[in-house]
Amino acid sequence: DQQVKQNSPSLSVQEGRISILNCDYTNSMFDYFLWYKKYPAEGPTFLISISSIKDKNEDGRFTVFLNKSAKHLSLHIVPSQPGDSAVYFCAARDSGGGADGLTFGKGTHLIIQP
Amino acid sequence: NAGVTQTPKFRILKIGQSMTLQCTQDMNHNYMYWYRQDPGMGLKLIYYSVGAGITDKGEVPNGYNVSRSTTEDFPLRLELAAPSQTSVYFCASINGLTGAGVGELFFGEGSRLTVL
């Protein structure tokens, strides 16, 4: 059973428009959420994160929103640029403070159309 | 600024063969991880280590072994390779604080393994 779900395998957006990537989770013990970006033949790279005590975190063109009651988070990219075309993974950390890494979603392939 | 380095980047194995995927990091991170990513799937944790001499199983450890003799190196060994181990393997590290959990992991570029 997936604890972190990204239900859209792919998303196509026009350059300059807003890209919205969604992520749902089921584990109430998650206290920290991250988005990673992955280009082909490269490893994932950290993009932005949010603590469960916040509902929004912004970094330049990237904003992550967290709705704890709905167990939902989203990544907004405004404006979308061609270099944003990549696979985006949502990840979550358990609040138990253990070292056993992050739980990842399956990823959403974002395609920015010129 | 090498970060996390994985070798080899590509490898084809025959069923039953064994091999070791190498991972080394130069950031003096204490926590290290091995994940695998199957097509269309997220990353699944194979093994992790919180320091030299300490390793622990993740979600999918069967068919793999690890060791951590130094802070820098965390090799992943596949014994008796099977087609189900065809995947892309990622090593990651972080300077973890005991009790605080992990945050932003630093990943290597990946090792693509095919077992035929």
Side-chain angles (χ1 to χ4, degrees), chain A residues 64-111:
Chain A
V64 56
F65 295 93
L66 175 62
N67 182 334
K68 282 187 64 177
S69 60
K71 293 192 175 67
H72 176 83
L73 63 154
S74 60
L75 173 68
H76 293 212
I77 306 173
V78 184
S80 300
Q81 298 175 355
D84 296 331
S85 294
V87 176
Y88 290 79
F89 290 100
C90 175
R93 179 186 79 182
D94 193 292
S95 62
D100 55 344
L102 304 171
T103 301
F104 286 84
K106 292 184 178 182
T108 295
H109 186 193
L110 176 64
I111 301 163

Side-chain angles (χ1 to χ4, degrees), chain A residues 93 97-102, chain B residues 25 27-33 48-51 68 71 92-106:
Chain A
R93 179 186 79 182
D100 55 344
L102 304 171
Chain B
Q25 51 91 9
M27 297 174 282
N28 202 32
H29 287 169
N30 52 347
Y31 289 8
M32 294 188 74
Y33 302 83
Y48 66 99
S49 168
V50 299
R68 184 95 182 271
T71 299
S93 72
I94 191 172
N95 198 19
L97 300 175
T98 301
V102 296
E104 301 86 0
L105 296 176
F106 293 82

Side-chain angles (χ1 to χ4, degrees), chain B residues 8 20 24 27 30 33 38-39 41 48 51 54 60 62-64 66-67 71 73 76 79 94 100 107 109 115:
Chain B
T20 299
T24 187
M27 297 174 282
N30 52 347
Y33 302 83
D38 299 327
M41 303 294 288
Y48 66 99
I54 306 169
V60 289
N62 291 344
Y64 306 95
V66 292
S67 60
T71 299
D73 300 306
L76 177 71
E79 305 282 1
I94 191 172
F107 283 87
E109 292 188 340
V115 182

Side-chain angles (χ1 to χ4, degrees), chain A residues 13-62:
Chain A
V13 175
Q14 270 201 311
E15 182 179 357
R17 300 288 192 109
I18 182 171
S19 295
I20 301 177
L21 293 87
N22 294 303
C23 178
D24 297 295
Y25 62 96
T26 58
N27 189 341
S28 300
M29 298 300 288
F30 288 148
D31 69 341
Y32 191 66
F33 303 89
L34 307 90
W35 286 93
Y36 279 84
K37 179 179 182 178
K38 185 185 177 307
Y39 291 120
E42 294 185 11
T45 55
F46 169 73
L47 185 60
I48 192 170
S49 62
I50 187 167
S51 166
S52 60
I53 62 173
K54 295 186 175 182
D55 55 16
K56 176 182 175 181
N57 187 27
E58 192 171 353
D59 183 2
R61 296 187 298 113
F62 303 92

